[in-house]
Amino acid sequence: PALLLGIRNAVVQGGANPFSLDLQRSPGGDEAPTEDVSRLTLSTVYGIDYLASNIAELTEQRERIQAERRIGDSALPGLFSGMLRSTNTQVDYQRTWDDTVDVFGLREALHGRRRIAVISTDTFASRMAGPAIRAFHIADQLAYEHDVKLVSTTKCTIDNDRFECLTVPFGQLEKVVKWAEVIIFQGFVMHHAPWIADTDKIIVVDIYDPMHLEQLEQFRTDDLTVRTQRIAATTDVLTKQLKRGDFFMCASEQQRHLWLGHLASVGRINPLNYEYDSSMRSLITICPFGLASSPATRTRAALRGVVPGIEQGDKVIIWAGGVYNWFDPLTLIRAVDVLRERHDNVRLFFLGMSHPNPDVPAMQMAYEAQQLSERLGLTGKYVFFNSEWVAYDDRQNYLLDADLGVSTHFEHVETTFSFRTRMLDYLWAGLPIVATGGDAFGELIQAQNLGLTVPEQDVEALVDALERSLYDHDFATECAQNVAALRTDFTWEKTLAPLMEFCRSAQRAPDAVLRRRGVTGSYALPGGAVRNLIGRNLAYARARVDEGGLMHAAKMGVLKARRLAIRAEPQS
């Protein structure tokens, strides 16, 4: 289509009427008179001829460019959706444009650019915590294919060339929601703006953080009645999200099992959703925390020779994140106290002791960690606390000045379903890792030999793990190489791929019509639901074509039809 339209544009712009030209050879073999053909028309012909004449060299250049692409083929149509109308106002060309677009089915192929609002209660600034970082990168990836607004209901001081970054208090949020076709949020957004649930917007809920489980530790020192009320209230917030959402993202397979149980308890594992996709992955998918596609690059010295007490020859352990009540920095500090007796050059650096979001309360564990270090005489000599939160674009300098990344926690229900986001920074910087086992990342450390895992609160085991990872050069090198090899599996482009796929053909969940009508027990298919189900099946077919072509899609369609037929047969 591009070549056809290129030639047509050249002819029209050149003012030539190809049907009036005498292009036949004369009896003497002379060519047709060139003065009848516009230079502008010929320039396009020569341009296409140049492409043909240099196709080998241009193909090599194209392969180099393709190797650096950040998105796949299926994502490209959305980038060209703004080209469905020609800017050329000449009638002859516009008629050809319209015919070509229709004949080649380009309107359908290029359709799909959506208006998406990514909303968070966290702060978007130079210093950002995990929820804000995740929301930012969700907006960043989606902006390659869609029109995106990144919204903080508290504070946003950042800018981006490809999407809008806004501060919108809850009282003014209605305008953003009205603009958007798809709403993506995390945390307590819908709790503070419950009217969002009553709209017909496509709602994507990011539940990568099981916050009700975190709060079991966060408020452990509170009065029992207060604790019970807090957890019940947060669980209710999550329940309302699970009842209303059209698509859900979590961080691991363990988390997905947790949320599938919760979804089943609120009636979302129902016949309509099941018939569309019996795996339920079109309803809830795994989108882990991610990292930048390019490796971490040092821009300045941050620790060695900069922080008083940390010198060039020291072995540095870094705790890359906040100190929360569900973590165990105390065992780590005690382990460093033992290890310093063997190796006087060991240093432990806590990257951030104060949260950048003022709404997040100070943690008791952060206070206890500093008090323990003081009592043991370690502070400023072997253990260092950064009282501020490091700027997001500066954190790599601290990581690259370290030898080892560490994360220690207690063994409780939050551990089972957690996904430690700081671990991604360790992968990004190529650091070996020592961590408490028992969670999804602990299993990954063991399976991929990224470092060592230890039992909870085991000082002796932690001392041995730290010593080997810091002072056994061959082991540390092997772990660092394994970390580097795994890093590309966790780039934002890969971790958010299921969300990107959903947004290309985003629709309400199959059971949306029934939920709007308050139907929870009977799932007869009204007309609207039938249309919805047909649309979802078409989306299913398109996805299978993208996976393996028409034959693959046909095969998968037959298998699905057989499954449905078997289920429909009466049981003896």
Side-chain angles (χ1 to χ4, degrees), residues 215 247 347 365 530:
Q215 289 180 352
F247 188 68
R347 302 291 184 266
M365 185 56 72
V530 170

Side-chain angles (χ1 to χ4, degrees), residues 192-252:
H192 295 295
W195 50 268
I196 293 177
D198 298 327
T199 69
D200 280 334
K201 303 297 181 178
I202 300 165
I203 293 182
V204 177
V205 186
D206 189 3
I207 46 177
Y208 86 103
D209 181 7
M211 52 192 182
H212 55 326
L213 303 184
E214 287 183 349
Q215 289 180 352
L216 289 169
E217 286 295 322
Q218 182 177 348
F219 302 118
R220 194 166 191 168
T221 58
D222 290 0
D223 175 78
L224 179 59
T225 301
V226 174
R227 289 169 59 198
T228 302
Q229 291 173 345
R230 285 181 182 273
I231 303 305
T234 302
T235 303
D236 183 61
V237 167
L238 291 168
T239 296
K240 290 177 180 177
Q241 294 176 4
L242 295 171
K243 286 182 176 180
R244 171 58 181 87
D246 297 297
F247 188 68
F248 302 92
M249 299 183 290
C250 62
S252 66

Side-chain angles (χ1 to χ4, degrees), residues 162-207:
R162 296 191 299 109
F163 55 89
E164 289 189 73
C165 303
L166 306 169
T167 302
V168 183
F170 280 108
Q172 302 172 23
L173 198 57
E174 188 171 357
K175 184 177 180 180
V176 171
V177 172
K178 184 177 181 180
W179 167 85
E181 298 172 84
V182 181
I183 307 294
I184 302 175
F185 73 85
Q186 55 187 211
F188 291 88
V189 170
M190 203 169 76
H191 170 69
H192 295 295
W195 50 268
I196 293 177
D198 298 327
T199 69
D200 280 334
K201 303 297 181 178
I202 300 165
I203 293 182
V204 177
V205 186
D206 189 3
I207 46 177

Side-chain angles (χ1 to χ4, degrees), residues 95-129:
R95 184 182 300 111
T96 305
W97 175 280
D98 290 337
D99 289 345
T100 304
V101 166
D102 290 337
V103 167
F104 284 91
L106 298 181
R107 296 187 196 281
E108 181 179 357
L110 301 184
H111 180 71
R113 195 169 184 89
R114 313 301 287 264
R115 297 187 303 275
I116 302 177
V118 181
I119 306 174
S120 175
T121 58
D122 215 349
T123 299
F124 298 113
S126 59
R127 292 173 169 83
M128 296 190 292

Side-chain angles (χ1 to χ4, degrees), residues 231-293:
I231 303 305
T234 302
T235 303
D236 183 61
V237 167
L238 291 168
T239 296
K240 290 177 180 177
Q241 294 176 4
L242 295 171
K243 286 182 176 180
R244 171 58 181 87
D246 297 297
F247 188 68
F248 302 92
M249 299 183 290
C250 62
S252 66
E253 197 65 52
Q254 291 94 324
Q255 277 194 12
R256 189 168 181 272
H257 294 161
L258 170 71
W259 296 120
L260 278 170
H262 203 154
L263 284 165
S265 73
V266 298
R268 298 304 305 278
I269 310 298
N270 58 55
L272 281 180
N273 290 335
Y274 185 81
E275 292 301 333
Y276 172 65
D277 177 11
S278 59
S279 74
M280 292 292 164
R281 294 194 179 273
S282 60
L283 182 66
I284 177 168
T285 192
I286 298 173
C287 291
F289 212 85
L291 50 81
S293 55

Side-chain angles (χ1 to χ4, degrees), residues 363-441:
M363 296 285 168
Q364 177 67 22
M365 185 56 72
Y367 172 78
E368 292 182 12
Q370 294 176 82
Q371 290 299 302
L372 175 62
S373 180
E374 286 285 350
R375 289 198 304 271
L376 295 175
L378 303 177
T379 304
K381 299 176 182 178
Y382 300 96
V383 178
F384 302 81
F385 298 95
N386 183 39
S387 59
E388 300 297 326
W389 195 270
V390 170
Y392 184 58
D393 292 334
D394 190 35
R395 74 195 192 285
Q396 77 278 4
N397 294 311
Y398 293 83
L399 293 162
L400 293 173
D401 261 3
D403 300 285
L404 179 67
V406 67
S407 179
T408 49
H409 50 261
F410 300 107
E411 186 176 346
H412 43 57
V413 67
E414 187 272 343
T415 299
T416 303
F417 298 106
S418 66
F419 190 87
R420 310 298 182 197
T421 57
R422 76 191 60 211
M423 300 296 198
L424 276 302
D425 273 346
Y426 299 153
L427 294 184
W428 184 48
L431 293 178
I433 304 169
V434 169
T436 310
D439 62 356
F441 224 103

Side-chain angles (χ1 to χ4, degrees), residues 317-330:
I317 307 164
I318 192 167
W319 177 289
V323 179
Y324 306 125
N325 290 353
W326 47 91
F327 290 131
D328 177 21
L330 307 182

